[in-house]
């Protein structure tokens, strides 16, 4: 559900689909992001992550 109360999907997302999305998209992205930040912190005191979304 969106912040405006609208449904995102026409049909509910199954537990299997949620797990598949986590494994295929969320975890690989966040693991790579974490690794990248850790690498940058070896050279710099601070790292900023700017996460932008277009509505």
């Amino acid at each position: 559900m969106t912040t405006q109360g609208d449904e995102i999907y026409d049909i509910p997302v199954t537990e299997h689909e949620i797990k598949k999305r986590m494994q295929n998209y969320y975890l690989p992205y966040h693991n790579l992001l974490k690794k990248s930040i850790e690498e940058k912190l070896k050279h710099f005191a601070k790292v900023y992550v700017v996460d932008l979304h277009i509505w």
Side-chain angles (χ1 to χ4, degrees):
M1 183 173 293
T2 67
T3 56
Q4 290 81 26
D6 300 322
E7 293 293 332
I8 296 174
Y9 302 105
D10 292 333
I11 57 174
V13 180
T14 65
E15 185 74 24
H16 173 75
E17 182 64 23
I18 291 169
K19 288 179 181 179
K20 186 173 94 175
R21 291 180 189 187
M22 290 289 292
Q23 288 298 316
N24 293 333
Y25 302 104
Y26 180 88
L27 291 175
Y29 171 80
H30 284 87
N31 289 339
L32 187 59
L33 180 61
K34 181 180 177 185
K35 183 178 175 181
S36 179
I37 291 169
E38 289 169 350
E39 282 296 314
K40 301 298 181 212
L41 286 171
K42 291 178 183 177
H43 304 282
F44 304 101
K46 293 182 181 180
V47 174
Y48 295 96
V49 176
V50 179
D51 185 10
L52 303 172
H53 297 268
I54 298 173
W55 300 103

